[in-house]
Amino acid sequence: GVQDMVDFYTSKDVNVVIPQAGAFSYYTDWVSSPEAGYLKGPQKWETFLTKELPGALEDHIGGNGKRGIAGMSMAATSSLLLAEHNPGFYNAVGSFSGCAATSRPLPRLYTQLTVNRGGGSADQMWGAMGSEYNVYNDALVNATPKNLGPSETYVSVNSGLGGANDWGAKGSSTLIVEGGVIEAAMSSCTHDLKAKLVIGGFTPHPVEHGGIEQPCETCMYYLVHRRFCELPELSVPVEPEWSCRLWRI
């Protein structure tokens, strides 16, 4: 169902800050300024959101230094990037229905389609595909111990298939077909993260060795409160019930 955000957060002692602009920008600092459509002039969103705004805002509201960042769709990539570019700045990170990768052909296409709707281009934003600055703004590449490890991270995506609440509603055909294709693409991106976990030996099903199950929660590299693995050369969000073939190496 639908949850009213104001009602939800009223009793949570949380200040919610929502940018009222920045559509199609990925909330990052652009290489060059677009001058067409919605996007016009310098785009320095990361500088604004992580360097200029927090201090002044937190002084005004009496912030306690604890911060979280979350985004959906385009901003799901942004929330990961801003956290990775500023390790430890955010205590929690949420990424919903986005694509972490940006420097490979298909993810680059998704990025181009998004910024083009605002009158910009991926080249204006991050330079040529695979360039140093493009890779710097690839949230999958930069999901490292140094960058994302200090933050508790939650990533979510759907399959793209229509659900019970989608059928028969006004505009449902567009929602199911167009929205379904987009969500399926984001699901593929999110499974790239899963693939990264598997490379490290992680599996969502029990693994036994010598008759002993090897769940992450019993591994010396598992961080309980952050649900994070600090296995050398690998730092990724994991669930306690997952297993790892590299358990307690």
Side-chain angles (χ1 to χ4, degrees), residues 7-248:
D7 289 344
F8 178 80
Y9 281 109
T10 296
S11 61
K12 300 295 190 297
D13 194 26
V14 172
N15 294 288
V16 180
V17 181
I18 304 176
Q20 295 299 301
F24 316 116
S25 72
Y26 276 86
Y27 294 108
T28 57
D29 290 351
W30 285 40
V31 172
S32 59
S33 302
E35 296 296 342
Y38 179 87
L39 294 166
K40 291 183 179 179
Q43 305 294 313
K44 299 293 182 182
W45 287 100
E46 181 174 342
T47 296
F48 174 65
L49 293 173
T50 64
K51 302 296 190 296
E52 299 173 348
L53 179 64
L57 178 63
E58 290 173 15
D59 286 345
H60 179 71
I61 64 177
N64 61 6
K66 293 183 178 180
R67 311 177 188 92
I69 185 171
M72 179 179 291
S73 191
M74 177 201 79
T77 307
S78 312
S79 63
L80 292 171
L81 281 174
L82 267 58
E84 292 167 356
H85 291 172
N86 301 273
F89 189 71
Y90 299 104
N91 300 83
V93 180
S95 178
F96 301 88
S97 297
C99 187
T102 64
S103 62
R104 301 200 308 268
L106 266 180
R108 175 74 171 198
L109 173 62
Y110 306 152
T111 302
Q112 176 61 39
L113 291 173
T114 300
V115 298
N116 184 252
R117 291 175 60 198
S121 71
D123 283 355
Q124 289 174 321
M125 183 165 63
W126 296 329
M129 184 178 71
S131 65
E132 182 178 353
Y133 194 58
N134 183 193
V135 173
Y136 173 70
N137 284 287
D138 187 311
L140 182 62
V141 171
N142 291 286
T144 66
K146 177 182 176 182
N147 297 338
L148 202 55
S151 304
E152 186 168 351
T153 305
Y154 181 85
V155 181
S156 176
V157 72
N158 211 323
S159 66
L161 298 176
N165 294 328
D166 300 322
W167 299 97
K170 183 178 181 180
S172 61
S173 58
T174 300
L175 174 68
I176 292 169
V177 176
E178 182 178 328
V181 169
I182 294 172
E183 188 69 5
M186 298 306 97
S187 178
S188 175
C189 285
T190 303
H191 279 78
D192 285 344
L193 176 58
K194 178 182 177 182
K196 185 176 182 179
L197 303 184
V198 172
I199 289 172
F202 292 98
T203 69
H205 54 79
V207 169
E208 289 188 7
H209 181 72
I212 301 174
E213 285 197 2
Q214 302 179 168
C216 289
E217 63 183 344
T218 62
C219 180
M220 67 179 71
Y221 295 107
Y222 175 70
L223 303 184
V224 177
H225 299 294
R226 294 214 303 263
R227 288 188 175 180
F228 221 81
C229 176
E230 283 196 336
L231 196 68
E233 302 304 322
L234 179 72
S235 185
V236 290
V238 298
E239 295 295 330
E241 67 274 14
W242 289 4
S243 290
C244 178
R245 298 188 185 91
L246 305 180
W247 184 74
R248 290 188 174 182

